Amino acid sequence: MTDAQPAGTPAVGGDWGPHADTPAGRGLSAMIASDRLPHALLISGPNGVGKRDLAIRAAQALLCESGGREQGPCRSCRTCRRLHDPGQPALEPQHTDVEVVGPGSLCADANHDHRNTRTVGICVIRRIEHDANLAPFEADRRIIIIDPADALTADAADAFLKTLEEPPDGVHFILLTSQEAGLSETIRSRCRSISLAPLQIDSLETRLDEWTQTAGVDAPEQPERRAELLRLARGRPGWLQANLSAGDPVTLRAAQIDDAVRIANADRSERLNWSEQLAGRSATAQSVANVELILDAWTDWWRDLWLYLGKRSESLTHRSQMERIEQIAPMYDQQHITQFLEQIQRTRALIQQGVNARLALDVLLLAVPVARTSP
Ligand SMILES: [Zn+2]
Ligand SMILES: [Zn+2]
């Protein structure tokens, strides 16, 4: 179906967060204010753009004790705080009528161990369907968030279709995905869709100022570093928040670029050793996350070399690395960089489809472009 349309003025009083003023955020708040939230909503958008945050805010607005439906979630009543504790970065609701389902979620079979799985299987969907048919415990409705919805196995998606077609009264399913193409058309067609676009850099900056002033988040103060941080975030408030809580992303990125440069000049065995250190021998959620971070860093870094060669330095992400870019970029052929950037995207897609992250990284490492001359 279609994207929600912007609807009049944004709600005042409550806090719809980074997307309060985007068409998607305004559309969602209008649906809730007029009690027209569909039983199946699909929120799509890039990783870190704020899908989970918006879904939690929707649940807060629906269950808020101080007029959240009309005004947006107050974020401070008891219920709002149970859905998101402002002291915790994690968006893990603690409420019997709101559940986030994803890889690792429980099913009804006590013998199943889903801890290391990366998919949501049919046994989990059956358990959710069973729960969805029970009356809510505390609130007047249930909200079930599936994150990411593209983790549903084919069997699970098939089983889920029936529920999406005839959802029990008082239940809202909110499906989240960064890869809409990974969802079957039958699932998509049964949901109302909202797509979240990256924020403009000035709205992201406003959020960053807010977090540093009110939430005590540490961010670089020097204007150049702050600007680089905002470029690294690419309009994704969730990325910014998650990465700031893990340290200084600008410093971390500089270290990742050191590695990228070193690996580009390393021999085969050094590359494979590095890959093993980074991704480990077995495929864990942590190794997948580590490899995805490296793919992000490498995409930005090699794109910078490509942009420099194309005389588009004004678009560089890592302006703090200008000297190094000037020195290194001329050693590469722009066409080879294009091919490598495409290969990084293919590697990312393979990992998202469940291919072992370490193996995918090993293959990618052997395709790093070769420099024409040594520095
Ligand atoms: Zn509230
Ligand atoms: Zn199970």
Side-chain angles (χ1 to χ4, degrees), residues 289-309:
N290 288 348
V291 172
E292 285 182 337
L293 280 178
I294 290 300
L295 297 182
D296 286 346
W298 284 24
T299 302
D300 290 348
W301 168 245
W302 287 95
R303 194 202 288 119
D304 272 359
L305 298 180
W306 186 91
L307 286 166
Y308 179 84
L309 291 173

PDB file of all heavy atoms in Angstrom, residues 289-309:
ATOM      1  N   ALA A 289      28.129  -8.624  13.733  1.00  0.00           N
ATOM      2  CA  ALA A 289      28.111  -7.182  14.005  1.00  0.00           C
ATOM      3  C   ALA A 289      29.481  -6.567  13.712  1.00  0.00           C
ATOM      4  O   ALA A 289      29.572  -5.493  13.111  1.00  0.00           O
ATOM      5  CB  ALA A 289      27.704  -6.933  15.457  1.00  0.00           C
ATOM      6  N   ASN A 290      30.566  -7.262  14.124  1.00  0.00           N
ATOM      7  CA  ASN A 290      31.915  -6.742  13.862  1.00  0.00           C
ATOM      8  C   ASN A 290      32.165  -6.586  12.370  1.00  0.00           C
ATOM      9  O   ASN A 290      32.714  -5.582  11.922  1.00  0.00           O
ATOM     10  CB  ASN A 290      32.976  -7.702  14.423  1.00  0.00           C
ATOM     11  CG  ASN A 290      33.027  -7.676  15.934  1.00  0.00           C
ATOM     12  OD1 ASN A 290      32.443  -6.788  16.556  1.00  0.00           O
ATOM     13  ND2 ASN A 290      33.706  -8.644  16.530  1.00  0.00           N
ATOM     14  N   VAL A 291      31.783  -7.603  11.617  1.00  0.00           N
ATOM     15  CA  VAL A 291      32.043  -7.556  10.178  1.00  0.00           C
ATOM     16  C   VAL A 291      31.195  -6.461   9.531  1.00  0.00           C
ATOM     17  O   VAL A 291      31.668  -5.726   8.663  1.00  0.00           O
ATOM     18  CB  VAL A 291      31.796  -8.940   9.536  1.00  0.00           C
ATOM     19  CG1 VAL A 291      31.876  -8.850   8.021  1.00  0.00           C
ATOM     20  CG2 VAL A 291      32.817  -9.949  10.058  1.00  0.00           C
ATOM     21  N   GLU A 292      29.963  -6.294   9.995  1.00  0.00           N
ATOM     22  CA  GLU A 292      29.126  -5.242   9.397  1.00  0.00           C
ATOM     23  C   GLU A 292      29.713  -3.855   9.657  1.00  0.00           C
ATOM     24  O   GLU A 292      29.661  -2.980   8.788  1.00  0.00           O
ATOM     25  CB  GLU A 292      27.681  -5.356   9.900  1.00  0.00           C
ATOM     26  CG  GLU A 292      26.984  -6.531   9.201  1.00  0.00           C
ATOM     27  CD  GLU A 292      25.526  -6.731   9.579  1.00  0.00           C
ATOM     28  OE1 GLU A 292      25.138  -6.278  10.680  1.00  0.00           O
ATOM     29  OE2 GLU A 292      24.799  -7.348   8.782  1.00  0.00           O
ATOM     30  N   LEU A 293      30.301  -3.664  10.852  1.00  0.00           N
ATOM     31  CA  LEU A 293      30.945  -2.371  11.140  1.00  0.00           C
ATOM     32  C   LEU A 293      32.101  -2.118  10.183  1.00  0.00           C
ATOM     33  O   LEU A 293      32.303  -0.999   9.696  1.00  0.00           O
ATOM     34  CB  LEU A 293      31.489  -2.356  12.573  1.00  0.00           C
ATOM     35  CG  LEU A 293      30.494  -2.079  13.686  1.00  0.00           C
ATOM     36  CD1 LEU A 293      31.198  -2.149  15.037  1.00  0.00           C
ATOM     37  CD2 LEU A 293      29.872  -0.694  13.493  1.00  0.00           C
ATOM     38  N   ILE A 294      32.877  -3.179   9.933  1.00  0.00           N
ATOM     39  CA  ILE A 294      34.006  -3.037   9.016  1.00  0.00           C
ATOM     40  C   ILE A 294      33.505  -2.729   7.604  1.00  0.00           C
ATOM     41  O   ILE A 294      34.064  -1.885   6.900  1.00  0.00           O
ATOM     42  CB  ILE A 294      34.867  -4.329   9.036  1.00  0.00           C
ATOM     43  CG1 ILE A 294      35.591  -4.433  10.376  1.00  0.00           C
ATOM     44  CG2 ILE A 294      35.869  -4.366   7.888  1.00  0.00           C
ATOM     45  CD1 ILE A 294      36.517  -3.274  10.692  1.00  0.00           C
ATOM     46  N   LEU A 295      32.432  -3.379   7.201  1.00  0.00           N
ATOM     47  CA  LEU A 295      31.902  -3.114   5.855  1.00  0.00           C
ATOM     48  C   LEU A 295      31.436  -1.659   5.738  1.00  0.00           C
ATOM     49  O   LEU A 295      31.645  -1.015   4.708  1.00  0.00           O
ATOM     50  CB  LEU A 295      30.761  -4.078   5.515  1.00  0.00           C
ATOM     51  CG  LEU A 295      31.134  -5.568   5.453  1.00  0.00           C
ATOM     52  CD1 LEU A 295      29.925  -6.397   5.056  1.00  0.00           C
ATOM     53  CD2 LEU A 295      32.291  -5.828   4.496  1.00  0.00           C
ATOM     54  N   ASP A 296      30.833  -1.134   6.805  1.00  0.00           N
ATOM     55  CA  ASP A 296      30.429   0.285   6.793  1.00  0.00           C
ATOM     56  C   ASP A 296      31.657   1.177   6.618  1.00  0.00           C
ATOM     57  O   ASP A 296      31.670   2.101   5.810  1.00  0.00           O
ATOM     58  CB  ASP A 296      29.769   0.685   8.130  1.00  0.00           C
ATOM     59  CG  ASP A 296      28.360   0.133   8.264  1.00  0.00           C
ATOM     60  OD1 ASP A 296      27.808  -0.324   7.248  1.00  0.00           O
ATOM     61  OD2 ASP A 296      27.828   0.154   9.391  1.00  0.00           O
ATOM     62  N   ALA A 297      32.685   0.891   7.436  1.00  0.00           N
ATOM     63  CA  ALA A 297      33.885   1.731   7.410  1.00  0.00           C
ATOM     64  C   ALA A 297      34.555   1.659   6.043  1.00  0.00           C
ATOM     65  O   ALA A 297      34.972   2.671   5.480  1.00  0.00           O
ATOM     66  CB  ALA A 297      34.857   1.291   8.506  1.00  0.00           C
ATOM     67  N   TRP A 298      34.652   0.441   5.502  1.00  0.00           N
ATOM     68  CA  TRP A 298      35.323   0.281   4.212  1.00  0.00           C
ATOM     69  C   TRP A 298      34.541   0.928   3.086  1.00  0.00           C
ATOM     70  O   TRP A 298      35.121   1.488   2.163  1.00  0.00           O
ATOM     71  CB  TRP A 298      35.552  -1.209   3.920  1.00  0.00           C
ATOM     72  CG  TRP A 298      36.683  -1.752   4.732  1.00  0.00           C
ATOM     73  CD1 TRP A 298      37.154  -1.250   5.915  1.00  0.00           C
ATOM     74  CD2 TRP A 298      37.495  -2.871   4.418  1.00  0.00           C
ATOM     75  NE1 TRP A 298      38.199  -2.004   6.363  1.00  0.00           N
ATOM     76  CE2 TRP A 298      38.428  -3.012   5.462  1.00  0.00           C
ATOM     77  CE3 TRP A 298      37.510  -3.788   3.370  1.00  0.00           C
ATOM     78  CZ2 TRP A 298      39.382  -4.027   5.480  1.00  0.00           C
ATOM     79  CZ3 TRP A 298      38.454  -4.798   3.385  1.00  0.00           C
ATOM     80  CH2 TRP A 298      39.384  -4.913   4.429  1.00  0.00           C
ATOM     81  N   THR A 299      33.224   0.842   3.156  1.00  0.00           N
ATOM     82  CA  THR A 299      32.412   1.495   2.124  1.00  0.00           C
ATOM     83  C   THR A 299      32.716   2.991   2.119  1.00  0.00           C
ATOM     84  O   THR A 299      32.990   3.590   1.075  1.00  0.00           O
ATOM     85  CB  THR A 299      30.910   1.270   2.406  1.00  0.00           C
ATOM     86  OG1 THR A 299      30.664  -0.128   2.442  1.00  0.00           O
ATOM     87  CG2 THR A 299      30.047   1.903   1.329  1.00  0.00           C
ATOM     88  N   ASP A 300      32.693   3.598   3.305  1.00  0.00           N
ATOM     89  CA  ASP A 300      32.932   5.046   3.390  1.00  0.00           C
ATOM     90  C   ASP A 300      34.357   5.398   2.944  1.00  0.00           C
ATOM     91  O   ASP A 300      34.579   6.393   2.260  1.00  0.00           O
ATOM     92  CB  ASP A 300      32.722   5.541   4.832  1.00  0.00           C
ATOM     93  CG  ASP A 300      31.254   5.515   5.250  1.00  0.00           C
ATOM     94  OD1 ASP A 300      30.388   5.348   4.379  1.00  0.00           O
ATOM     95  OD2 ASP A 300      30.988   5.661   6.463  1.00  0.00           O
ATOM     96  N   TRP A 301      35.310   4.562   3.359  1.00  0.00           N
ATOM     97  CA  TRP A 301      36.717   4.861   3.058  1.00  0.00           C
ATOM     98  C   TRP A 301      37.004   4.738   1.562  1.00  0.00           C
ATOM     99  O   TRP A 301      37.549   5.642   0.938  1.00  0.00           O
ATOM    100  CB  TRP A 301      37.636   3.937   3.862  1.00  0.00           C
ATOM    101  CG  TRP A 301      39.065   3.958   3.427  1.00  0.00           C
ATOM    102  CD1 TRP A 301      39.778   2.941   2.876  1.00  0.00           C
ATOM    103  CD2 TRP A 301      39.978   5.066   3.520  1.00  0.00           C
ATOM    104  NE1 TRP A 301      41.060   3.329   2.612  1.00  0.00           N
ATOM    105  CE2 TRP A 301      41.215   4.638   2.995  1.00  0.00           C
ATOM    106  CE3 TRP A 301      39.863   6.375   3.987  1.00  0.00           C
ATOM    107  CZ2 TRP A 301      42.328   5.466   2.918  1.00  0.00           C
ATOM    108  CZ3 TRP A 301      40.976   7.209   3.909  1.00  0.00           C
ATOM    109  CH2 TRP A 301      42.194   6.755   3.385  1.00  0.00           C
ATOM    110  N   TRP A 302      36.599   3.612   0.966  1.00  0.00           N
ATOM    111  CA  TRP A 302      36.891   3.425  -0.460  1.00  0.00           C
ATOM    112  C   TRP A 302      36.067   4.384  -1.309  1.00  0.00           C
ATOM    113  O   TRP A 302      36.498   4.827  -2.367  1.00  0.00           O
ATOM    114  CB  TRP A 302      36.676   1.960  -0.870  1.00  0.00           C
ATOM    115  CG  TRP A 302      37.770   1.067  -0.336  1.00  0.00           C
ATOM    116  CD1 TRP A 302      37.745   0.346   0.822  1.00  0.00           C
ATOM    117  CD2 TRP A 302      39.066   0.845  -0.918  1.00  0.00           C
ATOM    118  NE1 TRP A 302      38.944  -0.314   0.991  1.00  0.00           N
ATOM    119  CE2 TRP A 302      39.772  -0.032  -0.062  1.00  0.00           C
ATOM    120  CE3 TRP A 302      39.698   1.294  -2.079  1.00  0.00           C
ATOM    121  CZ2 TRP A 302      41.071  -0.472  -0.327  1.00  0.00           C
ATOM    122  CZ3 TRP A 302      40.989   0.856  -2.350  1.00  0.00           C
ATOM    123  CH2 TRP A 302      41.664  -0.012  -1.477  1.00  0.00           C
ATOM    124  N   ARG A 303      34.886   4.755  -0.824  1.00  0.00           N
ATOM    125  CA  ARG A 303      34.103   5.742  -1.567  1.00  0.00           C
ATOM    126  C   ARG A 303      34.824   7.091  -1.555  1.00  0.00           C
ATOM    127  O   ARG A 303      34.832   7.815  -2.550  1.00  0.00           O
ATOM    128  CB  ARG A 303      32.695   5.876  -0.985  1.00  0.00           C
ATOM    129  CG  ARG A 303      31.765   6.628  -1.940  1.00  0.00           C
ATOM    130  CD  ARG A 303      30.565   7.257  -1.269  1.00  0.00           C
ATOM    131  NE  ARG A 303      29.578   6.286  -0.847  1.00  0.00           N
ATOM    132  CZ  ARG A 303      29.220   6.115   0.420  1.00  0.00           C
ATOM    133  NH1 ARG A 303      29.752   6.855   1.362  1.00  0.00           N
ATOM    134  NH2 ARG A 303      28.324   5.231   0.740  1.00  0.00           N
ATOM    135  N   ASP A 304      35.463   7.405  -0.406  1.00  0.00           N
ATOM    136  CA  ASP A 304      36.233   8.656  -0.340  1.00  0.00           C
ATOM    137  C   ASP A 304      37.372   8.650  -1.364  1.00  0.00           C
ATOM    138  O   ASP A 304      37.611   9.657  -2.042  1.00  0.00           O
ATOM    139  CB  ASP A 304      36.814   8.863   1.070  1.00  0.00           C
ATOM    140  CG  ASP A 304      35.838   9.596   1.989  1.00  0.00           C
ATOM    141  OD1 ASP A 304      34.733   9.946   1.518  1.00  0.00           O
ATOM    142  OD2 ASP A 304      36.194   9.821   3.161  1.00  0.00           O
ATOM    143  N   LEU A 305      38.091   7.524  -1.486  1.00  0.00           N
ATOM    144  CA  LEU A 305      39.177   7.453  -2.469  1.00  0.00           C
ATOM    145  C   LEU A 305      38.605   7.641  -3.876  1.00  0.00           C
ATOM    146  O   LEU A 305      39.162   8.346  -4.714  1.00  0.00           O
ATOM    147  CB  LEU A 305      39.910   6.103  -2.366  1.00  0.00           C
ATOM    148  CG  LEU A 305      40.618   5.811  -1.029  1.00  0.00           C
ATOM    149  CD1 LEU A 305      41.305   4.448  -1.085  1.00  0.00           C
ATOM    150  CD2 LEU A 305      41.640   6.893  -0.676  1.00  0.00           C
ATOM    151  N   TRP A 306      37.452   7.005  -4.103  1.00  0.00           N
ATOM    152  CA  TRP A 306      36.779   7.086  -5.406  1.00  0.00           C
ATOM    153  C   TRP A 306      36.358   8.535  -5.696  1.00  0.00           C
ATOM    154  O   TRP A 306      36.569   9.052  -6.795  1.00  0.00           O
ATOM    155  CB  TRP A 306      35.568   6.154  -5.370  1.00  0.00           C
ATOM    156  CG  TRP A 306      34.833   5.997  -6.664  1.00  0.00           C
ATOM    157  CD1 TRP A 306      35.060   5.049  -7.622  1.00  0.00           C
ATOM    158  CD2 TRP A 306      33.750   6.800  -7.134  1.00  0.00           C
ATOM    159  NE1 TRP A 306      34.183   5.213  -8.657  1.00  0.00           N
ATOM    160  CE2 TRP A 306      33.370   6.276  -8.391  1.00  0.00           C
ATOM    161  CE3 TRP A 306      33.063   7.900  -6.627  1.00  0.00           C
ATOM    162  CZ2 TRP A 306      32.333   6.818  -9.142  1.00  0.00           C
ATOM    163  CZ3 TRP A 306      32.030   8.449  -7.374  1.00  0.00           C
ATOM    164  CH2 TRP A 306      31.672   7.912  -8.612  1.00  0.00           C
ATOM    165  N   LEU A 307      35.777   9.193  -4.688  1.00  0.00           N
ATOM    166  CA  LEU A 307      35.324  10.582  -4.868  1.00  0.00           C
ATOM    167  C   LEU A 307      36.509  11.501  -5.155  1.00  0.00           C
ATOM    168  O   LEU A 307      36.440  12.388  -6.005  1.00  0.00           O
ATOM    169  CB  LEU A 307      34.596  11.073  -3.604  1.00  0.00           C
ATOM    170  CG  LEU A 307      33.193  10.501  -3.376  1.00  0.00           C
ATOM    171  CD1 LEU A 307      32.734  10.793  -1.944  1.00  0.00           C
ATOM    172  CD2 LEU A 307      32.198  11.097  -4.376  1.00  0.00           C
ATOM    173  N   TYR A 308      37.606  11.269  -4.438  1.00  0.00           N
ATOM    174  CA  TYR A 308      38.789  12.105  -4.628  1.00  0.00           C
ATOM    175  C   TYR A 308      39.287  11.964  -6.065  1.00  0.00           C
ATOM    176  O   TYR A 308      39.602  12.958  -6.728  1.00  0.00           O
ATOM    177  CB  TYR A 308      39.872  11.709  -3.621  1.00  0.00           C
ATOM    178  CG  TYR A 308      41.130  12.530  -3.774  1.00  0.00           C
ATOM    179  CD1 TYR A 308      41.247  13.773  -3.161  1.00  0.00           C
ATOM    180  CD2 TYR A 308      42.190  12.064  -4.552  1.00  0.00           C
ATOM    181  CE1 TYR A 308      42.389  14.542  -3.319  1.00  0.00           C
ATOM    182  CE2 TYR A 308      43.332  12.824  -4.715  1.00  0.00           C
ATOM    183  CZ  TYR A 308      43.429  14.066  -4.101  1.00  0.00           C
ATOM    184  OH  TYR A 308      44.560  14.826  -4.265  1.00  0.00           O
ATOM    185  N   LEU A 309      39.342  10.713  -6.539  1.00  0.00           N
ATOM    186  CA  LEU A 309      39.810  10.487  -7.910  1.00  0.00           C
ATOM    187  C   LEU A 309      38.850  11.125  -8.919  1.00  0.00           C
ATOM    188  O   LEU A 309      39.263  11.538  -9.996  1.00  0.00           O
ATOM    189  CB  LEU A 309      39.933   8.983  -8.194  1.00  0.00           C
ATOM    190  CG  LEU A 309      41.061   8.271  -7.443  1.00  0.00           C
ATOM    191  CD1 LEU A 309      40.989   6.765  -7.674  1.00  0.00           C
ATOM    192  CD2 LEU A 309      42.425   8.804  -7.878  1.00  0.00           C
TER     193      LEU A 309
END
